[in-house]
Amino acid sequence: MSPQPFWFADALAQEGSAALPPLQGEHTADVCIVGGGFTGLWTAIQTRLKRPDWRIVLLEKGRCGGGASGRNGGCMLTWSTKYASLCHYFGEQEAAWLLRASEQAVFDIATFCQQHGIDADLRLGGAVYAASNRAQQGRLQPVLQQLEQAGLNRWQALDDAATQARSGSALMRDGAWTDAAGSVHPGKLVRGLLRVARALGVEVHELSPVQAVGGSLPVRVSTDQGILHAPRVVLALNAETPALLPQFASHLLLVSSDMIITEPAPAQIAALGLDQGQAVCDLRTFVHYWRSTPDGRLMLGKGGNLLPFGNRLHPAFDAPSRYQPMLHHALRRFFPSLASVPLARSWTGASERSASGLPCFGELPRQRGVYYGFGYSGNGVVQSHLGGQILSSLLLDEDNIWTRSGLAQGPQASFPPEPVRWLGAQLVRGAIRRVETAEDRAQPSRWLDRKLARLASMAGKADARS
């Protein structure tokens, strides 16, 4: 199998274009954006729409979309199930606003694609969260009750029959569905955003890895072949953040999310009821998640796998998933009718988990004019649209609801230092896996539950959801 993520390879094959030329020589610009994924491109587009007179230059180390934006599951999910975390860090008023903003962003992305002719296979089929074993039943109730009490509940409870019909799996129970969600081909979306950004006048250089960012205003951004001077710089680096910004290493934990996708089987997908584009997640800590494609493939993924020491970008992040057998077993378990459908590809990628489970944005405290955004924690397809609005507002020095948001005030929580962080994360992951294996086999373990609670506390209670 090819090591390239399915979505990114598929988008490039359909596009059929060569890489954009790298930055060469010395240049000046009004804005430099480092990173050609969702966050960087949304920031470039939204800034350009506000300031068409500015020269905006975007630098990408490889091909735009080659990182997390072109290799995620393409599940368009919101912050509704993170309402408790939003309240904890930002208070109820802002939590309600951020939740509604994330729900609206689902529809705003769909509208943007329609207006700009981006054919990203986007389908607003909603989302289903449900229990995949007996132990998970009831886990949705606290957050749904909290949403209901706050007047924010957009979810509909499903009985077991409806849960199985919407999720496509007879294993699923006790579910809920929301219309503010769906699925998208992330490779086509990110390459479509690239096309729109360039059409608006954003200058993009691929194959331009940034070596250093520093100096007084204007900031000097150095690549392997060129130099760019700009008074405003955005670092939208995702998993590259710890390498270029080591001061944020304690706020992040890199962990792989691994995926497989089948060859097309449209008849079987339709028979399962998965042909509407809905995104589905179970309720374990390291969730299983799946969605179909318009041509009848099924993508299934699972987070919380490879944990590199020191947040280093392990070579396995750019290889076929070493967890393919585990994922294939899960696919056959959830969907016995797809057992004989061949797999088209497996892949993996680094997901940057923040200690709060929420992204953060801001200006570097000792580097004026340099802004950053990171930490989507597995929920970035929709939330990166909001990140683009925050970063664009910061670039323009606006005083608005985005710049006043708690999300724009920097990291909200930290992990323990190495080696405690890595050791704690390994122990927590191992305990979680043992608990979840026991739950799948209907063999609950109180000892493991107690052990898991203690380890989670020691490791900083990182949000491990995908």
Side-chain angles (χ1 to χ4, degrees):
M1 291 186 181
S2 168
Q4 275 198 332
F6 173 83
W7 311 114
F8 185 60
D10 187 52
L12 286 184
Q14 294 189 37
E15 184 181 296
S17 62
L20 297 171
L23 181 74
Q24 295 181 316
E26 196 160 354
H27 304 267
T28 62
D30 295 288
V31 178
C32 172
I33 297 173
V34 182
F38 286 146
T39 299
L41 287 166
W42 280 125
T43 301
I45 290 169
Q46 291 165 15
T47 304
R48 183 70 179 181
L49 290 172
K50 295 176 185 177
R51 290 300 303 262
D53 57 314
W54 277 4
R55 184 186 183 193
I56 301 173
V57 177
L58 185 149
L59 305 175
E60 164 58 40
K61 75 167 188 175
R63 302 291 301 273
C64 288
S69 298
R71 66 180 68 201
N72 62 82
C75 297
M76 301 180 70
L77 305 174
T78 72
W79 276 327
S80 57
T81 57
K82 288 182 175 284
Y83 179 62
S85 293
L86 292 170
C87 288
H88 173 75
Y89 288 108
F90 309 126
E92 292 183 6
Q93 183 175 356
E94 184 169 356
W97 170 70
L98 287 170
L99 189 157
R100 290 193 182 102
S102 72
E103 291 179 336
Q104 183 58 44
V106 172
F107 304 103
D108 289 345
I109 293 171
T111 299
F112 186 92
C113 288
Q114 185 176 30
Q115 290 175 340
H116 294 274
I118 299 176
D119 182 8
D121 296 343
L122 193 155
R123 295 178 293 169
L124 297 177
V128 179
Y129 281 42
S132 60
N133 60 42
R134 199 182 317 165
Q136 294 172 19
Q137 291 184 239
R139 289 184 183 173
L140 272 178
Q141 293 310 307
V143 67
L144 295 185
Q145 289 173 2
Q146 192 176 13
L147 291 172
E148 189 68 35
Q149 292 169 0
L152 297 168
N153 190 16
R154 197 163 177 159
W155 292 81
Q156 301 174 18
L158 304 174
D159 61 23
D160 288 350
T163 298
Q164 293 162 19
R166 286 189 181 269
S167 68
S169 175
L171 289 182
M172 305 297 273
R173 301 282 190 279
D174 193 28
W177 176 84
T178 178
D179 68 320
S183 59
V184 69
H185 188 308
K188 291 182 180 179
L189 176 58
V190 70
R191 298 300 294 184
L193 293 178
L194 171 63
R195 176 180 58 79
V196 172
R198 296 184 67 208
L200 290 172
V202 175
E203 183 180 330
V204 180
H205 295 279
E206 296 183 314
L207 309 180
S208 299
V210 169
Q211 310 294 333
V213 176
S216 58
L217 295 178
V219 179
R220 175 188 173 104
V221 181
S222 304
T223 72
D224 56 350
Q225 299 184 54
I227 297 171
L228 185 67
H229 302 275
R232 307 165 193 87
V233 176
V234 170
L235 302 177
L237 303 170
N238 191 53
E240 301 276 355
T241 299
L244 199 59
L245 297 173
Q247 61 266 48
F248 290 126
S250 65
H251 303 291
L252 288 174
L253 181 69
L254 295 191
V255 58
S256 77
S257 194
D258 296 77
M259 284 148 274
I260 56 175
I261 193 166
T262 69
E263 295 289 356
Q268 291 98 313
I269 293 296
L272 290 168
L274 287 173
D275 54 346
Q276 302 303 306
Q278 65 266 45
V280 186
C281 297
D282 69 4
L283 301 178
R284 64 188 61 220
T285 301
F286 298 133
V287 297
H288 289 109
Y289 54 93
W290 60 84
R291 44 71 59 97
S292 69
T293 64
D295 65 346
R297 301 174 187 268
L298 186 82
M299 187 286 304
L300 181 142
K302 193 174 191 299
N305 299 313
L306 175 65
L307 290 161
F309 182 82
N311 283 335
R312 296 186 180 92
L313 286 173
H314 196 281
F317 287 137
D318 291 312
S321 174
R322 60 175 62 178
Y323 298 96
Q324 180 183 318
M326 177 185 73
L327 293 170
H328 200 187
H329 172 77
L331 185 145
R332 294 191 299 266
R333 180 169 166 262
F334 283 112
F335 310 104
S337 65
L338 300 180
S340 62
V341 177
L343 295 183
R345 193 164 302 189
S346 74
W347 68 97
T348 189
S351 175
E352 91 286 30
R353 307 295 172 133
S354 71
S356 67
L358 299 165
C360 60
F361 307 87
E363 183 178 19
L364 290 182
R366 295 184 178 87
Q367 183 65 67
R368 285 186 57 216
V370 179
Y371 303 90
Y372 61 85
F374 62 82
Y376 290 104
S377 302
N379 286 306
V381 177
V382 171
Q383 289 76 1
S384 59
H385 184 268
L386 307 182
Q389 295 182 70
I390 292 172
L391 289 167
S392 176
S393 296
L394 289 171
L395 283 174
L396 276 76
D397 197 25
E398 296 177 338
D399 179 18
N400 60 22
I401 197 167
W402 298 110
T403 56
R404 293 192 297 270
S405 168
L407 291 174
Q409 312 310 315
Q412 301 294 321
S414 299
F415 290 106
E418 297 290 20
V420 175
R421 173 178 50 186
W422 183 79
L423 290 171
Q426 293 280 15
L427 290 169
V428 168
R429 183 188 60 175
I432 288 172
R433 283 182 171 174
R434 288 191 293 272
V435 169
E436 292 179 341
T437 299
E439 289 176 348
D440 285 340
R441 295 172 179 171
Q443 298 171 349
S445 171
R446 294 179 182 177
W447 179 87
L448 282 175
D449 285 339
R450 292 195 300 270
K451 187 72 171 176
L452 175 59
R454 289 197 297 269
L455 290 172
S457 177
M458 183 182 73
K461 295 183 180 178
D463 185 313
R465 282 197 175 275
S466 259

